[in-house]
Amino acid sequence: MRDETCDVLIVGGGASGLSLAHHLTATGSRAVTVVEAPDGPLRPPERTWCFWDHGDGDFDEAVSASWSRLRVHGTGGDAVTVEPSPLRYRMIRSAVFERMVHARLADTPGGRLLRATAGTVRATAGGAEVHCTTADGRTLTLRARHVFDSRPPRTLPPARTQLLQHFRGWFVRTDAARFDPEVADLMDFRVPQPRHGLAFGYVLPLAPDRALVEYTEFSRTPLSTEAYESALTRYCGDVLELPSYTVESAEQGVIPMTDARFPRRVGPSVFRTGTAGGATRPATGYTFAAVQRQSRAIAAALHEGRSRVPPPHGRRALAMDAVLLRALDTGRINGPDFFTDLFRRIPPQRLLRFLDGVTSPLEELGIGLRTPVGPMLRTALELPFLSRRPHPAPRTGGNPR
């Protein structure tokens, strides 16, 4: 057993943990240690993270693809294409992001990456401690003034509504040019819809002959891998009409969509970030952009001598998401028509800012009036009378959009 001390300890090397490390090292005011699982079953496979911004963000060197136009296909085949300039939809692959942040840690005085399996975080006088096991079986106790636990939650807090965004994607290569590298298909509802929830295809072209093609559902229960594979085969053949293609790799994930209240502070010096701290947008599953806002705010607070984790989403955004989740779960609104109409009826920049939770109350009122007002109002009126109850946690780890 060996003891070590540090100033800031980040547990978990996923999108949230590495983003926080990136922003903390940028301030240069704190010594930062990141604990990541060693290679093996606890280390997640490579993932894809997507978001939209103006193209002048912190992670330009890690962006592997971007798109200037976004498209949504209705169930009847009608397509809505928008160009939200100056915003672009951008993709980051987790392996590239990891290498970038690891290099920054190595070049920062006091920065450190530790490959170990972290156990329970325990509050102590003046900070907290984490017992770790290294890849060669040694035990290590890390003590820190501030601990930020970014690991996915093992259980989810009680909620009135919980859906899951679950998906499987293929990186495909075709024999000929079949994709437009400037257009990302965010939602393609030309797939059979489940009895409960909704389903759509998701296509991110990487080149004229390469793309990430996903099948996604918003529903209560994930599918088997075989069911995802069957849905992807039908989507590639019947909808995209790809005559022949090769599947080069695959990814799969489950993201909670819930109106649960996630605690961000679980001890005097212990905080939760990322999905565990409520960063996943309940109605869309998008997480990466909120993680950046949260990480910047944490870094700024620590730089000023304060320790706090601000809420990643505002109260109005969470209230609207709770209504939408309940309306989808009860079947009061038609999910494919709802999302298609949003893209058809709302200016694209305003819609994307709404999805990021940075619109004004007046803008949100205008958006709300373009949704099915009756079902949404009925749902809003019933929510205060619904009790929060436990729901099953996702069976597999999340893959933040």
Side-chain angles (χ1 to χ4, degrees), residues 40-338:
L42 294 180
R43 191 164 178 80
E46 188 172 11
R47 293 140 289 159
T48 298
W49 302 322
C50 291
F51 59 101
W52 42 78
D53 69 8
H54 294 82
D56 55 357
D58 298 321
F59 309 125
D60 287 353
E61 62 185 281
V63 172
S64 58
S66 69
W67 300 269
S68 61
R69 287 178 286 160
L70 307 176
R71 186 166 55 199
V72 174
H73 293 270
T75 54
D78 52 315
V80 181
T81 304
V82 299
E83 188 169 352
S85 177
L87 296 174
R88 292 181 68 93
Y89 195 56
R90 291 148 73 82
M91 171 198 283
I92 286 179
R93 296 286 284 157
S94 61
V96 178
F97 189 69
E98 287 174 1
R99 289 194 295 269
M100 183 189 76
V101 179
H102 291 174
R104 185 159 193 167
L105 278 170
D107 292 339
T108 301
R112 181 190 181 196
L113 174 68
L114 174 65
R115 290 294 181 86
T117 302
T120 302
V121 180
R122 187 174 71 89
T124 61
E129 67 179 24
V130 183
H131 294 285
C132 303
T133 304
T134 61
D136 57 5
R138 294 181 297 113
T139 55
L140 174 67
T141 298
L142 294 176
R143 293 185 172 88
R145 291 178 59 194
H146 311 280
V147 175
F148 296 91
D149 193 344
S150 68
R151 293 172 295 181
R154 294 184 179 180
T155 59
L156 296 175
R160 293 168 297 193
T161 309
Q162 177 177 302
L163 296 175
L164 300 175
Q165 179 178 155
H166 51 97
F167 57 91
R168 183 172 176 83
W170 287 343
F171 285 87
V172 302
R173 184 182 294 273
T174 57
D175 295 338
R178 304 290 299 184
F179 305 105
D180 183 349
E182 283 298 314
V183 182
D185 285 305
L186 289 188
M187 288 181 159
D188 186 346
F189 293 109
R190 296 174 297 172
V191 297
Q193 295 298 311
R195 295 181 60 185
H196 184 273
L198 59 90
F200 57 89
Y202 178 69
V203 182
L204 301 182
L206 307 176
D209 61 345
R210 293 180 58 242
L212 169 60
V213 179
E214 287 187 358
Y215 174 81
T216 302
E217 284 192 12
F218 293 1
S219 62
R220 295 175 182 173
T221 308
L223 306 180
S224 66
T225 298
E226 292 74 17
Y228 291 120
E229 293 277 303
S230 176
L232 278 166
T233 299
R234 291 196 302 270
Y235 180 59
C236 287
D238 299 343
V239 178
L240 299 183
E241 298 181 341
L242 303 181
S244 62
Y245 56 89
T246 301
V247 178
E248 298 182 323
S249 61
E251 65 177 27
Q252 188 168 318
V254 180
I255 302 170
M257 304 174 69
T258 171
D259 66 354
R261 296 168 177 164
F262 289 84
R264 301 186 305 278
R265 189 168 195 158
V266 292
S269 302
V270 182
F271 306 87
R272 287 181 178 154
T273 64
T275 296
T280 297
R281 183 74 192 262
T284 64
Y286 280 101
T287 306
F288 193 83
V291 160
Q292 305 316 312
R293 292 195 299 270
Q294 191 179 59
S295 298
R296 290 189 192 98
I298 293 171
L302 288 178
H303 184 66
E304 297 168 359
R306 298 177 291 114
S307 57
R308 60 185 293 269
V309 174
H313 303 289
R315 292 182 179 180
R316 292 197 315 273
L318 294 179
M320 290 184 291
D321 282 6
V323 173
L324 176 56
L325 284 179
R326 178 71 180 174
L328 285 172
D329 193 41
T330 57
R332 289 181 187 142
I333 63 172
N334 179 290
D337 290 348
F338 178 88

